């Protein structure tokens, strides 16, 4: 705050401190609001991201003395924002990882020993302060990759379900930990780790589905065509706790959850979407299945029947392999639920 600057004064230092603190707190609120839901299912990604944020903040602090007063304020404010993001990401992901490692409900003991371990590591770091700071990032990456989570988020669900459909076996958490990416695009669909061929969103509201079924009229905003198609689509999912629709031209899947949809229903909806998108991808956009609504609806109907036939056995195998199928980890943003009257569902 003005060290080495003869023109600096206490007022300037106070204002800079206020700017930094305010910027960091605002960043904390916005970051928590935007990604709060994703912090638990994507805890490995955000734990490593916290280290990246902290390293970037340190680099900015080191660069700040070389700049003039105006750019320095901007740089230090950015540094404060990155530290705030680090605090939110590290704290939330640490809570999820601690719960994962507390196998016998000993969360308090685990946190106490973890704090002691951090103290020892800090002392060791002070003794070997000459150790290159750049070596911490690869070590953190290796530590995060070594964690085998038992919840099925989007990426792990893609790996497990596609392997099951191809090879008839369920990957266990350790096998998936070796294959999964730490940083993954939100909602992408992959088949056994292949390149992304589509994307899907879960927990959408009904308006998003209507917009996909048929665009509104430019002048009146009418969505009568979409409402008519929705009326045809609803009976397909009468026995399910979700509605699924894949927009082939945009390669985007929409998953609408009904009120009371459990974690297993959400996972089944994701499995159905993965199968439908993969069939479209394998057939190509010029095939008849993407030529119109009726053909696409029939594909949804037949694929749902096939998925429903093997789904109970798949769930049992998932449990046997150690996966927590009763833990909902697919939604990365606050989702919506819909309620359908019985008369509409017929």
């Amino acid at each position: 705050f003005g060290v080495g600057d003869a023109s600096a004064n206490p007022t300037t230092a106070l204002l800079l401190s206020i700017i930094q603190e305010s910027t960091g707190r605002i960043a904390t609120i916005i970051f928590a609001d935007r990604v709060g839901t994703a912090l638990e299912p994507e805890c490995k990604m955000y734990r490593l991201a916290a280290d990246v944020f902290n390293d970037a903040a340190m680099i900015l602090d080191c660069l700040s003395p070389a700049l003039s007063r105006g750019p320095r304020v901007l740089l230090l404010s950015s540094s404060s924002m990155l530290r705030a993001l680090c605090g939110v990401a590290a704290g939330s992901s640490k809570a999820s990882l601690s719960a994962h490692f507390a196998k016998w409900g000993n969360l308090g003991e685990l946190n106490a020993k973890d704090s002691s371990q951090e103290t020892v590591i800090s002392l060791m770091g002070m003794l070997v302060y000459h150790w290159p700071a750049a070596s911490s990032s690869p070590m953190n990456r290796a530590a995060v990759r070594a964690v085998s989570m038992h919840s099925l988020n989007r990426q792990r669900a893609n790996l497990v379900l596609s392997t099951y459909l191809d090879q008839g076996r369920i990957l266990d958490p350790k096998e998936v930990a070796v294959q999964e990416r730490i940083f993954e695009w939100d909602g992408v669909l992959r088949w056994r780790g292949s390149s992304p061929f589509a994307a899907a969103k879960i927990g959408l509201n009904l308006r998003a589905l209507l917009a996909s079924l048929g665009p509104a009229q430019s002048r009146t905003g009418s969505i009568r065509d979409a409402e008519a198609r929705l009326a045809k689509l609803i009976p397909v999912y009468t026995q399910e706790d979700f509605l699924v629709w894949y927009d082939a031209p945009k390669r985007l899947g929409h998953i609408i959850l009904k009120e009371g949809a459990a974690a297993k229903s959400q996972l089944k909806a994701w499995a159905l979407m993965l199968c439908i998108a993969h069939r479209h991808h394998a057939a190509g956009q010029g095939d008849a299945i993407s030529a119109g609504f009726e053909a696409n609806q029939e594909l949804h109907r037949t694929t749902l029947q096939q998925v429903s036939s093997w789904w109970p056995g798949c769930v049992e195998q998932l449990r046997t392999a150690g996966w927590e199928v009763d833990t909902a980890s697919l939604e990365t943003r606050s989702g919506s639920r819909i309620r359908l009257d019985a008369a509409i569902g017929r």
Side-chain angles (χ1 to χ4, degrees):
F1 300 118
V3 176
D5 186 359
S7 62
N9 56 70
T11 303
T12 303
L14 178 61
L15 289 176
L16 180 58
S17 177
I18 293 174
I19 291 173
Q20 283 190 274
E21 288 292 329
S22 301
T23 304
R25 296 186 184 213
I26 293 173
T28 298
I29 296 171
I30 295 175
F31 186 72
D33 177 69
R34 296 289 295 176
V35 303
T37 307
L39 289 172
E40 184 171 358
E42 304 292 343
C43 61
K44 293 176 66 173
M45 180 181 74
Y46 283 105
R47 183 61 192 88
L48 186 59
D51 294 320
V52 175
F53 293 150
N54 188 55
D55 292 343
M58 293 175 61
I59 293 173
L60 294 182
D61 285 342
C62 293
L63 293 175
S64 62
L67 301 177
S68 58
R69 181 174 299 178
R72 185 186 304 171
V73 172
L74 181 60
L75 204 66
L76 291 176
S77 298
S78 301
S79 171
S80 179
M81 289 175 58
L82 289 170
R83 282 200 172 83
L85 301 186
C86 171
V88 176
S92 302
S93 56
K94 179 182 177 181
S96 299
L97 292 171
S98 297
H100 167 74
F101 286 114
K103 301 296 185 182
W104 298 279
N106 55 338
L107 186 59
E109 177 187 5
L110 186 143
N111 286 330
K113 292 182 177 179
D114 181 62
S115 299
S116 300
Q117 184 182 35
E118 290 179 357
T119 303
V120 173
I121 293 175
S122 298
L123 290 173
M124 293 177 62
M126 293 167 62
L127 295 175
V128 290
Y129 62 91
H130 59 278
W131 185 261
S135 64
S136 63
S137 294
M139 295 175 65
N140 290 331
R141 185 177 185 276
V144 170
R145 180 168 288 281
V147 178
S148 301
M149 301 298 295
H150 291 241
S151 59
L152 284 166
N153 63 3
R154 303 180 180 196
Q155 181 183 184
R156 290 190 281 271
N158 289 339
L159 286 169
V160 172
L161 294 171
S162 59
T163 302
Y164 175 76
L165 292 172
D166 267 0
Q167 301 180 358
R169 71 183 188 93
I170 296 293
L171 298 175
D172 61 40
K174 291 184 178 179
E175 292 176 300
V176 172
V178 176
Q179 300 182 36
E180 69 176 326
R181 296 170 170 82
I182 297 179
F183 291 100
E184 176 64 299
W185 295 104
D186 185 34
V188 298
L189 296 175
R190 300 178 187 266
W191 194 264
R192 297 184 61 191
S194 65
S195 299
F197 56 85
K201 297 181 179 180
I202 186 171
L204 298 175
N205 55 36
L206 202 57
R207 181 173 294 275
L209 177 60
L210 290 171
S212 177
L213 289 172
Q217 296 293 330
S218 58
R219 293 185 178 181
T220 63
S222 174
I223 52 175
R224 291 183 179 179
D225 291 343
E227 292 175 349
R229 291 179 175 181
L230 178 62
K232 296 179 181 179
L233 185 64
I234 288 177
V236 177
Y237 301 101
T238 302
Q239 304 300 322
E240 306 295 340
D241 290 333
F242 54 82
L243 301 176
V244 165
W245 179 253
Y246 181 70
D247 190 339
K250 295 181 179 179
R251 295 190 299 174
L252 179 62
H254 300 75
I255 300 176
I256 314 298
L257 299 175
K258 297 180 183 179
E259 189 177 36
K264 287 188 294 184
S265 297
Q266 298 179 31
L267 188 59
K268 183 180 180 180
W270 192 266
L272 175 61
M273 179 56 67
L274 179 64
C275 292
I276 294 173
H278 184 254
R279 289 190 175 186
H280 275 279
H281 175 68
Q285 291 296 319
D287 193 83
I289 60 175
S290 59
F293 171 79
E294 289 75 14
N296 202 359
Q297 180 191 15
E298 183 60 27
L299 175 68
H300 283 64
R301 186 192 307 275
T302 56
T303 307
L304 175 60
Q305 293 174 353
Q306 294 172 3
V307 171
S308 298
S309 65
W310 53 258
W311 182 247
C314 178
V315 171
E316 292 304 319
Q317 292 186 51
L318 287 170
R319 294 184 189 276
T320 304
W323 293 106
E324 299 173 354
V325 296
D326 295 319
T327 301
S329 301
L330 293 172
E331 290 184 278
T332 56
R333 293 185 181 180
S334 298
S336 301
R337 299 294 186 271
I338 65 170
R339 179 187 299 173
L340 297 177
D341 294 335
I344 298 177
R346 287 200 296 266

